[in-house]
Amino acid sequence: MSDPSVQHQQARPAVPVLHEQRLDEVLGAAPERGRGRYRPHRVGMVWRSKVFRAGAVIVALVLCGLVILALVREQTGPEGFLVGLGLAVLPVPLLMAAFRWLDRVEPGPWRNLLFSFAWGACAAALVAIIANSFATRWIATATADPASADTLGATVIAPVVEESAKAAAVLLIFLFRRREFSGVVDGVVVAGFTATGFAFTENILYLGNAFGEDQQLGSSGFASVTAGTFFVRIVMSPFAHPLFTVLTGLGFGFAAVSARRHRVRRIALPLLGLLLAMGLHALWNGSSSFGPYGFYAVYGIVMVPAFGLVTWLAIWSRQRELRTLAAELPAYAAAGWLGPAEPSALSSMRARGMARDLARHWQPDRARGRAAARAVAEYESFATSLAGLRRRARHGAVGPDFGARERELLHHLWQRREFAAPALAHAALLTARPGAHHARPMPSPSPYGSGGGYATGYATAHGYGYGTAHGPGHAPGYGQTYGPGHAPGYGPGAYPPPQPYGGTPPSHRRPPT
């Protein structure tokens, strides 16, 4: 016999509904502006402190950086180190900008990206230098064949060691920053920053050694070893290491969106991505042993198509995030949390950028303009997280804290509505295609603090309505109606989690208390 309470819970609407609760009761626990999530005070041992753990990670990376700096400088010499550093830094801004562009829909925190880059440049590079040197010397001693040891080290040892060391950064963020690692794009970006840092350090070593060789031979110009190394590593294949590690990031990204009940898949996908990264890395390192044209054959037949395929997949995943916004956010617009025009505006990068510009220009001074634009950018980021959370919940890829996380994101949206709602509504109007039907957006407000006020109202397709009123105090007010004969509430309140998905539409009756 089934439990009646379970049946009642399953019969609830598929989208959030509004309850008649006091606004201060609903939003009393809302975090302050700019805080990405709740941070409850934790007591206990010192290593449980986030400050302590962050400091320990920074100290460890700094120590790794100092050691790797000394090792590279010892191998290349002072002049070779400076030349290698100056040439190796050239592709870094371009690669970082490309990966950051992929992450524009739901930008991840810079602390994760800086950690990834530092891990690749310091920790992973240090592990690779020590492990590769030890393994190559051991093989040379065991086989008494230094040439074979170098070949085996480059084609077998180096890919396994280097890709495993780089994958550790992706794994750490996947485990300890799970809220900020929600999909394929996050895996690509984290892996890309890690590999960019690793390639940066490795390029210093290779270019510095090439410069030292040129100094001994007295060669210079385009015929020098430095010029050849620069052309191969910086011009032809700056994407090599990012391409290898992005395969690992794709595995973690697909695991992040997989249902929690698919435990085998969530473990197998990252391992498969790591194995593919190792295999492609080994093929790239061993290309020179395939004959005089082996390098060019592998480059043209394998590397370039693989790079194009991974780039297409990353861009497709980025566009999918925008489509997720258009598909998931109308549920919250119908419940009154968002304006009718906001889902379409949030699913357009052009409208999102225009909304930030509008919020900035509507303010009377530059400082308040920057603050308003930042509030709109945070609103867009939280709305993207909310849409992604709802999509993962539909596929069973969320944990038991889904409801708390959903309410938390809605609180963040509420705090920023004063600036974001009118800007996004106006941007939706300005970016609307001719002839397309759109809900009436908010009119362009007068600058905040000028004494003017404006008021708008909307009615949704499911019988809900809400209105906003802005006066000199700039405090948004909201009222909801649930259909004829029902009294309005005083703000978005508690609601059941949006399940079952794709089921019954919102009820026109008063929601249960």
Side-chain angles (χ1 to χ4, degrees):
M1 181 179 295
S2 61
D3 188 356
S5 62
V6 175
Q7 293 180 354
H8 175 72
Q9 183 179 4
Q10 292 178 349
R12 286 178 174 178
V15 298
V17 296
L18 302 177
H19 284 257
E20 298 179 17
Q21 293 187 356
R22 294 178 56 189
L23 185 60
D24 55 353
E25 295 178 357
V26 177
L27 300 179
E32 299 177 359
R33 180 186 300 272
R35 297 179 65 180
R37 59 190 178 89
Y38 293 125
R39 302 177 185 274
H41 179 67
R42 300 182 64 180
V43 295
M45 303 180 193
V46 64
W47 50 81
R48 291 184 178 179
S49 170
K50 292 183 179 180
V51 176
F52 176 82
R53 287 182 292 179
V57 170
I58 293 174
V59 170
L61 290 177
V62 169
L63 292 177
C64 290
L66 294 176
V67 174
I68 196 69
L69 176 65
L71 291 176
V72 172
R73 187 177 180 275
E74 181 183 358
Q75 293 189 30
T76 61
E79 294 183 359
F81 174 78
L82 294 176
V83 171
L85 177 63
L87 296 177
V89 78
L90 295 178
V92 172
L94 299 178
L95 291 172
M96 295 177 69
F99 286 113
R100 191 60 177 173
W101 176 84
L102 285 175
D103 205 29
R104 281 183 61 199
V105 178
E106 187 181 3
W110 271 105
R111 64 175 180 271
N112 291 350
L113 303 183
L114 293 177
F115 164 79
S116 301
F117 183 86
W119 180 277
C122 301
L126 179 61
V127 170
I129 288 179
I130 295 176
N132 290 342
S133 300
F134 175 80
T136 302
R137 291 175 183 175
W138 182 82
I139 294 174
T141 303
T143 61
D145 188 358
S148 299
D150 291 338
T151 303
L152 188 62
T155 57
V156 178
I157 303 301
V160 173
V161 171
E162 294 175 7
E163 295 308 320
S164 299
K166 289 183 288 183
V170 188
L171 176 63
L172 289 173
I173 293 181
F174 181 82
L175 293 177
F176 297 102
R177 290 291 183 266
R178 192 63 183 85
R179 282 187 172 183
E180 299 154 2
F181 197 117
S182 58
V184 175
V185 174
D186 295 317
V188 170
V189 173
V190 170
F193 268 76
T194 304
T196 300
F198 183 89
F200 170 66
T201 301
E202 190 179 67
N203 286 336
I204 295 176
L205 182 61
Y206 276 88
L207 290 167
N209 287 334
F211 179 80
E213 187 176 348
D214 287 332
Q215 292 291 96
Q216 294 179 356
L217 299 177
S219 58
S220 61
F222 292 104
S224 64
V225 180
T226 304
T229 305
F230 178 84
F231 179 76
V232 171
R233 299 189 65 89
I234 306 300
V235 178
M236 287 188 64
S237 58
F239 58 86
H241 272 289
L243 176 61
F244 306 148
T245 314
V246 160
L247 296 176
T248 305
L250 287 174
F252 279 99
F254 284 119
V257 298
S258 299
R260 295 176 66 87
R261 64 181 181 273
H262 298 154
R263 294 180 178 271
V264 176
R265 182 186 304 176
R266 291 166 63 88
I267 297 175
L269 287 173
L271 291 177
L272 177 60
L274 179 60
L275 291 176
L276 290 175
M278 292 177 180
L280 188 59
H281 195 163
L283 180 64
W284 173 251
N285 285 359
S287 60
S288 58
S289 62
F290 298 154
Y293 300 103
F295 169 80
Y296 300 101
V298 171
Y299 182 84
I301 298 176
V302 179
M303 294 293 289
V304 173
F307 175 75
L309 179 62
V310 170
T311 301
W312 171 84
L313 182 60
I315 295 176
W316 177 84
S317 300
R318 182 180 186 266
Q319 294 300 118
R320 188 185 183 186
E321 288 185 340
L322 294 174
R323 292 192 297 269
T324 299
L325 286 163
E328 302 294 348
L329 291 184
Y332 298 98
W337 288 96
L338 304 176
E342 288 184 36
S344 61
L346 289 167
S347 61
S348 167
M349 295 304 296
R350 180 187 174 200
R352 290 167 67 138
M354 187 175 294
R356 295 191 296 270
D357 293 338
L358 289 172
R360 180 184 300 108
H361 294 310
W362 283 344
Q363 301 306 311
D365 56 73
R366 183 174 300 179
R368 296 178 64 182
R370 287 195 299 266
R374 183 170 58 252
V376 175
E378 293 172 351
Y379 187 93
E380 295 168 350
S381 179
F382 286 126
T384 306
S385 299
L386 183 63
L389 179 71
R390 186 173 175 84
R391 182 182 179 277
R392 293 194 303 277
R394 180 184 293 108
H395 293 84
V398 295
D401 63 339
F402 164 71
R405 175 60 174 163
E406 186 181 37
R407 288 191 296 271
E408 179 183 333
L409 291 170
L410 289 171
H411 286 158
H412 285 298
L413 293 177
W414 177 275
Q415 289 182 317
R416 293 154 178 82
R417 277 194 66 82
E418 178 183 358
F419 299 104
L424 285 168
H426 201 69
L429 175 64
L430 296 176
T431 58
R433 291 176 297 177
H437 176 71
H438 291 271
R440 182 171 60 87
M442 290 185 176
S444 175
S446 58
Y448 294 99
S450 62
Y454 64 93
T456 62
Y458 298 96
T460 68
H462 296 291
Y464 301 114
Y466 77 96
T468 62
H470 296 268
H474 320 307
Y478 293 80
Q480 292 77 26
T481 59
Y482 296 95
H486 295 292
Y490 295 93
Y495 47 83
Q499 53 182 350
Y501 294 92
T504 308
S507 172
H508 289 271
R509 298 175 298 175
R510 181 191 299 271
T513 58

